[in-house]
Amino acid sequence: AASLAELATILVKSRIARGWTQSQLAEVLGIAEQQVQRYESTGYRAASLARICDVASALGVEISERGELRDPNAA
């Protein structure tokens, strides 16, 4: 994924490829199915970075991070 928005799509597609329902993912994460539904319907925008990492780990998705400081003087 080249962006966080694409990462959300990868998480949903990974769940489906694994053959898991939202309910099964919720059970693994220890949260309500409705929360998984909300995460997926909003592209994980309301999820914390820690939760996104939990979801990725549960699905076997590896995330590697890259941070880059662009021009520090740019507004």
Side-chain angles (χ1 to χ4, degrees), residues 13-63:
K13 287 182 176 182
S14 296
R15 176 185 60 76
I16 293 167
R18 187 174 273 284
W20 286 6
T21 63
Q22 290 177 333
S23 178
Q24 288 169 306
L25 177 57
E27 185 176 332
V28 169
L29 295 171
I31 61 175
E33 178 182 358
Q34 292 79 9
Q35 187 61 54
V36 173
Q37 290 170 347
R38 280 191 289 275
Y39 286 151
E40 290 188 358
S41 70
T42 62
Y44 282 87
R45 283 189 297 272
S48 68
L49 180 57
R51 177 59 75 194
I52 290 171
C53 290
D54 291 344
V55 171
S57 178
L59 294 171
V61 173
E62 182 179 327
I63 299 174

